[in-house]
PDB file of all heavy atoms in Angstrom:
ATOM      1  N   PHE A 130      -3.479 -22.635  -0.060  1.00 98.00           N
ATOM      2  CA  PHE A 130      -3.882 -24.020  -0.281  1.00 98.00           C
ATOM      3  C   PHE A 130      -3.808 -24.479  -1.738  1.00 98.00           C
ATOM      4  O   PHE A 130      -3.674 -25.675  -1.993  1.00 98.00           O
ATOM      5  CB  PHE A 130      -5.322 -24.226   0.211  1.00 98.00           C
ATOM      6  CG  PHE A 130      -5.521 -23.941   1.672  1.00 98.00           C
ATOM      7  CD1 PHE A 130      -6.273 -22.843   2.078  1.00 98.00           C
ATOM      8  CD2 PHE A 130      -4.961 -24.761   2.639  1.00 98.00           C
ATOM      9  CE1 PHE A 130      -6.467 -22.574   3.428  1.00 98.00           C
ATOM     10  CE2 PHE A 130      -5.152 -24.499   3.990  1.00 98.00           C
ATOM     11  CZ  PHE A 130      -5.903 -23.395   4.393  1.00 98.00           C
ATOM     12  N   ARG A 131      -3.932 -23.580  -2.685  1.00 98.00           N
ATOM     13  CA  ARG A 131      -4.085 -23.999  -4.079  1.00 98.00           C
ATOM     14  C   ARG A 131      -2.855 -24.772  -4.570  1.00 98.00           C
ATOM     15  O   ARG A 131      -1.729 -24.323  -4.435  1.00 98.00           O
ATOM     16  CB  ARG A 131      -4.332 -22.784  -4.982  1.00 98.00           C
ATOM     17  CG  ARG A 131      -4.593 -23.174  -6.428  1.00 98.00           C
ATOM     18  CD  ARG A 131      -5.120 -22.009  -7.232  1.00 98.00           C
ATOM     19  NE  ARG A 131      -4.184 -20.894  -7.317  1.00 98.00           N
ATOM     20  CZ  ARG A 131      -4.429 -19.761  -7.974  1.00 98.00           C
ATOM     21  NH1 ARG A 131      -5.588 -19.595  -8.588  1.00 98.00           N
ATOM     22  NH2 ARG A 131      -3.533 -18.810  -8.000  1.00 98.00           N
ATOM     23  N   TYR A 132      -3.122 -25.925  -5.172  1.00 98.00           N
ATOM     24  CA  TYR A 132      -2.044 -26.746  -5.731  1.00 98.00           C
ATOM     25  C   TYR A 132      -2.106 -26.762  -7.255  1.00 98.00           C
ATOM     26  O   TYR A 132      -1.113 -26.520  -7.930  1.00 98.00           O
ATOM     27  CB  TYR A 132      -2.131 -28.164  -5.166  1.00 98.00           C
ATOM     28  CG  TYR A 132      -1.016 -29.082  -5.643  1.00 98.00           C
ATOM     29  CD1 TYR A 132       0.321 -28.809  -5.326  1.00 98.00           C
ATOM     30  CD2 TYR A 132      -1.293 -30.203  -6.412  1.00 98.00           C
ATOM     31  CE1 TYR A 132       1.346 -29.639  -5.768  1.00 98.00           C
ATOM     32  CE2 TYR A 132      -0.274 -31.045  -6.846  1.00 98.00           C
ATOM     33  CZ  TYR A 132       1.039 -30.758  -6.531  1.00 98.00           C
ATOM     34  OH  TYR A 132       2.055 -31.566  -6.974  1.00 98.00           O
ATOM     35  N   GLU A 133      -3.267 -27.063  -7.819  1.00 96.00           N
ATOM     36  CA  GLU A 133      -3.454 -27.054  -9.269  1.00 96.00           C
ATOM     37  C   GLU A 133      -4.787 -26.384  -9.594  1.00 96.00           C
ATOM     38  O   GLU A 133      -5.741 -26.450  -8.811  1.00 96.00           O
ATOM     39  CB  GLU A 133      -3.445 -28.479  -9.836  1.00 96.00           C
ATOM     40  CG  GLU A 133      -2.117 -29.197  -9.687  1.00 96.00           C
ATOM     41  CD  GLU A 133      -2.224 -30.673 -10.050  1.00 96.00           C
ATOM     42  OE1 GLU A 133      -3.175 -31.333  -9.564  1.00 96.00           O
ATOM     43  OE2 GLU A 133      -1.372 -31.160 -10.820  1.00 96.00           O
ATOM     44  N   SER A 134      -4.846 -25.775 -10.768  1.00 94.00           N
ATOM     45  CA  SER A 134      -6.076 -25.113 -11.212  1.00 94.00           C
ATOM     46  C   SER A 134      -6.622 -25.838 -12.437  1.00 94.00           C
ATOM     47  O   SER A 134      -6.071 -26.846 -12.896  1.00 94.00           O
ATOM     48  CB  SER A 134      -5.790 -23.653 -11.558  1.00 94.00           C
ATOM     49  OG  SER A 134      -5.006 -23.566 -12.730  1.00 94.00           O
ATOM     50  N   THR A 135      -7.687 -25.298 -12.980  1.00 91.00           N
ATOM     51  CA  THR A 135      -8.270 -25.904 -14.176  1.00 91.00           C
ATOM     52  C   THR A 135      -7.336 -25.818 -15.369  1.00 91.00           C
ATOM     53  O   THR A 135      -7.470 -26.588 -16.322  1.00 91.00           O
ATOM     54  CB  THR A 135      -9.599 -25.210 -14.526  1.00 91.00           C
ATOM     55  OG1 THR A 135      -9.351 -23.803 -14.679  1.00 91.00           O
ATOM     56  CG2 THR A 135     -10.635 -25.426 -13.435  1.00 91.00           C
ATOM     57  N   SER A 136      -6.370 -24.906 -15.330  1.00 91.00           N
ATOM     58  CA  SER A 136      -5.464 -24.721 -16.469  1.00 91.00           C
ATOM     59  C   SER A 136      -4.011 -25.067 -16.159  1.00 91.00           C
ATOM     60  O   SER A 136      -3.176 -25.075 -17.060  1.00 91.00           O
ATOM     61  CB  SER A 136      -5.534 -23.266 -16.965  1.00 91.00           C
ATOM     62  OG  SER A 136      -5.174 -22.369 -15.932  1.00 91.00           O
ATOM     63  N   VAL A 137      -3.695 -25.364 -14.900  1.00 93.00           N
ATOM     64  CA  VAL A 137      -2.310 -25.656 -14.510  1.00 93.00           C
ATOM     65  C   VAL A 137      -2.266 -26.966 -13.752  1.00 93.00           C
ATOM     66  O   VAL A 137      -2.946 -27.136 -12.731  1.00 93.00           O
ATOM     67  CB  VAL A 137      -1.726 -24.528 -13.629  1.00 93.00           C
ATOM     68  CG1 VAL A 137      -0.333 -24.908 -13.136  1.00 93.00           C
ATOM     69  CG2 VAL A 137      -1.672 -23.212 -14.394  1.00 93.00           C
TER      70      VAL A 137
END
Side-chain angles (χ1 to χ4, degrees):
F130 300 111
R131 184 168 62 180
Y132 182 63
E133 295 171 312
S134 70
T135 56
S136 59
V137 175

